[in-house]
Amino acid sequence: MDTTNEVLVKVEGLSKKFCKDLKTSLWYGVKDLISNVQGQSHTRLLRPKEFWAVKDISFELRRGECLGLIGHNGAGKSTLLKILNGLINPDAGKVTIKGRVGALIELGAGFNPILTGRENIYNNGAILGFTKKEIDAKVEAIIDFAEIREFIDMPVQNYSSGMKVRLGFAVAAQMEPDVLLIDEVLAVGDVGFRMKCLTRIGELLQNTAVIFVSHTMPQVARIANKILLMDHGKELVCGDDVSDGIQRYYQSFQNTDKIVGGNGLVKLKSIKILNNESKEIVNTTGFVELIHNEAYSFEINLDIDDKVSKYWVNYSFIDKDAKQVANFFSLFSKSIFEDKGQVSIKSKIENMILGQGIYTVGVSINEVRTDKSRGDIYCFDSNIASISITGISTGHAPIQFVGEWNLMEANEA
Ligand SMILES: Nc1ncnc2c1ncn2[C@@H]1O[C@H](COP(=O)(O)OP(=O)(O)OP(=O)(O)O)[C@@H](O)[C@H]1O
């Protein structure tokens, strides 16, 4: 029987509610128990202090597919994973899972703290349905993958969080499950181990369906071929367009923080972003929407004190992970200014090569020094605009070059 592409996870109208108050929650628990005995059910209704942690979620996942499960803190991602792993029961809806499920949901969950790492491997393997002989055949590979051989006979309660996640992932991944559920816990591992895990997930994907919860969008972009963006328990985006899901996720966190500084000799009066026809792009959605590879100009109006000597301007582009990904220095175009009073400076970027995503733009006006010393900062504003780059459907790197490509005649070796 050809099992490629078979649906391994089917989720239909899944909902789970929680209560915000422990006492009320216990009281509802008792009432529900009695209602169940009487054959009544009111699970679809919310009572005071209850809320939907997961509401009406449906999707299918096939062998070879990796679902990136993303959303703000408290969106319901872990609750959904816990329902899929059978740790909690839903209030409504249905989950159908085919095959063996490997899960890495809560740090240390599934481990017995007083048993050693090695004993826990056997325990976990047995829970997954493997025989002792089968685990014997895998145990060395698991220890090697986790890179904790030195500590494998130590009780797990003495492991660091990184060591626990290493062992947890190694067990879940080396047992080659049909369905692999991974929560954000991977983030506890160091960069080297995280990379190794992502590569391993990529290898497993040929035979596995993976659900991967993460707040690290480049990782999601790298391994997910399906996306589910959750917002307060509900689905906001669900489907194959991973880029769209990531973009919508970023848009939900508009950066309004701002640091304004400098010695005050230059004051920023206004800023405009213009398109190639010199028309201002108006911010209607909270973002100035720019199209990849098109030309744009920045126009700033400044009030410059007489004490200011020569100065240069720099725009910085910061991504959602607060990394500076690009600069636009006037110095590199040999543009140094010395005008005083009311000054307007327009600068043009011929090709907006930033990749799809959301960026914050900052500006600084700086003193020119002829020696190598750092000049004064006359004016600095870390957030003059939030821009959203669209018009490019592939690639998640912050810089996307556009250039000429030519097919040449092959050289004979
Ligand atoms: N056992 C529980 N009892 C009551 N509320 C709960 C319980 N477990 C989770 N919640 C609540 O359900 C909501 C969803 O939580 P969940 O852990 O699923 O979010 P998440 O998307 O995984 O968040 P994060 O990104 O922070 O890990 C939150 O408001 C949380 O406080």
Side-chain angles (χ1 to χ4, degrees):
M1 190 180 68
D2 182 16
T3 55
T4 41
N5 283 335
E6 70 181 311
V7 175
L8 295 183
V9 182
K10 189 167 184 187
V11 171
E12 297 163 87
L14 210 61
S15 297
K16 175 75 194 171
K17 60 186 172 182
F18 284 125
C19 184
K20 290 178 188 159
D21 174 273
L22 181 63
K23 253 195 199 161
T24 320
S25 167
L26 292 173
W27 171 234
Y28 287 158
V30 175
K31 279 175 74 172
D32 287 346
L33 213 64
I34 297 166
S35 304
N36 286 345
V37 171
Q38 292 171 341
Q40 302 163 349
S41 170
H42 304 286
T43 47
R44 282 188 175 274
L45 301 172
L46 280 187
R47 293 166 289 191
K49 295 191 183 164
E50 283 186 328
F51 68 98
W52 292 109
V54 170
K55 182 76 179 132
D56 245 339
I57 298 289
S58 302
F59 63 87
E60 273 186 8
L61 206 60
R62 294 169 187 274
R63 210 181 277 283
E65 289 182 330
C66 175
L67 178 79
L69 181 50
I70 59 174
H72 60 83
N73 289 135
K77 307 177 295 292
S78 302
T79 306
L80 178 56
L81 275 203
K82 284 179 191 162
I83 299 173
L84 296 183
N85 198 31
L87 293 171
I88 49 181
N89 287 324
D91 288 302
K94 195 171 153 203
V95 176
T96 318
I97 295 192
K98 270 197 203 162
R100 203 175 263 149
V101 181
L104 190 61
I105 295 186
E106 260 174 272
L107 196 56
F111 288 141
N112 183 331
I114 57 167
L115 298 183
T116 66
R118 190 186 299 275
E119 288 163 342
N120 269 297
I121 296 175
Y122 279 88
N123 247 5
N124 270 272
I127 292 167
L128 284 173
F130 288 95
T131 62
K132 174 160 183 314
K133 216 167 148 200
E134 283 171 314
I135 306 170
D136 282 341
K138 288 179 188 291
V139 73
E140 290 305 309
I142 292 172
I143 299 171
D144 281 343
F145 189 92
E147 298 171 39
I148 51 167
R149 184 169 291 280
E150 237 184 294
F151 304 99
I152 200 65
D153 293 308
M154 182 165 113
V156 163
Q157 64 191 356
N158 298 335
Y159 279 19
S160 69
S161 6
M163 286 158 73
K164 278 186 207 150
V165 88
R166 279 167 175 264
L167 187 62
F169 184 84
V171 173
Q174 296 294 331
M175 295 292 185
E176 292 170 11
D178 296 288
V179 176
L180 181 61
L181 310 174
I182 306 170
D183 208 341
E184 188 64 11
V185 284
L186 222 52
V188 176
D190 57 39
V191 173
F193 189 71
R194 254 181 283 156
M195 290 300 159
K196 192 168 159 181
C197 291
L198 289 181
T199 307
R200 180 72 185 134
I201 294 171
E203 288 164 8
L204 282 174
L205 256 180
Q206 292 171 17
N207 296 309
T208 309
V210 178
I211 302 184
F212 180 67
V213 172
S214 178
H215 291 284
T216 315
M217 292 307 116
Q219 283 182 9
V220 175
R222 187 174 145 190
I223 62 164
N225 44 25
K226 288 190 115 180
I227 196 90
L228 172 55
L229 168 61
M230 289 180 74
D231 181 42
H232 296 95
K234 294 190 197 123
E235 152 198 326
L236 208 60
V237 176
C238 185
D240 298 336
D241 196 343
V242 176
S243 298
D244 180 47
I246 292 177
Q247 180 90 344
R248 296 274 295 276
Y249 170 79
Y250 278 143
Q251 281 174 354
S252 60
F253 301 102
Q254 201 194 345
N255 180 11
T256 49
D257 293 345
K258 177 194 234 334
I259 301 169
V260 179
N263 64 10
L265 292 181
V266 172
K267 290 192 175 63
L268 180 65
K269 294 299 200 190
S270 64
I271 161 103
K272 278 186 199 164
I273 302 179
L274 311 162
N275 67 13
N276 217 11
E277 280 87 51
S278 290
K279 258 179 95 181
E280 184 180 1
I281 304 168
V282 188
N283 171 351
T284 47
T285 55
F287 296 92
V288 179
E289 303 221 0
L290 309 184
I291 299 166
H292 175 72
N293 203 33
E294 298 216 337
Y296 292 100
S297 300
F298 289 83
E299 193 179 302
I300 39 172
N301 288 302
L302 305 167
D303 186 356
I304 307 212
D305 193 282
D306 282 345
K307 293 197 266 311
V308 168
S309 53
K310 292 182 181 174
Y311 55 95
W312 53 276
V313 182
N314 171 42
Y315 291 99
S316 308
F317 298 83
I318 319 284
D319 74 4
K320 272 288 162 194
D321 297 318
K323 253 193 269 153
Q324 201 172 144
V325 289
N327 287 127
F328 183 29
F329 282 109
S330 68
L331 271 183
F332 291 165
S333 322
K334 306 225 167 4
S335 295
I336 289 175
F337 307 94
E338 45 192 320
D339 300 67
K340 312 276 165 32
Q342 302 298 310
V343 171
S344 179
I345 298 174
K346 188 170 171 181
S347 45
K348 185 170 183 186
I349 294 176
E350 287 296 345
N351 303 87
M352 176 49 78
I353 60 168
L354 286 178
Q356 159 170 278
I358 305 291
Y359 304 85
T360 303
V361 186
V363 68
S364 65
I365 321 287
N366 309 271
E367 181 192 13
V368 175
R369 288 254 171 104
T370 41
D371 56 14
K372 290 219 164 119
S373 65
R374 208 189 152 94
D376 282 343
I377 299 172
Y378 291 132
C379 172
F380 170 75
D381 187 328
S382 70
N383 188 352
I384 52 168
S386 290
I387 59 170
S388 166
I389 307 285
T390 57
I392 179 169
S393 59
T394 187
H396 294 278
I399 302 293
Q400 299 288 335
F401 296 116
V402 176
E404 255 185 58
W405 295 76
N406 293 303
L407 188 63
M408 308 292 286
E409 281 206 9
N411 289 330
E412 299 244 331

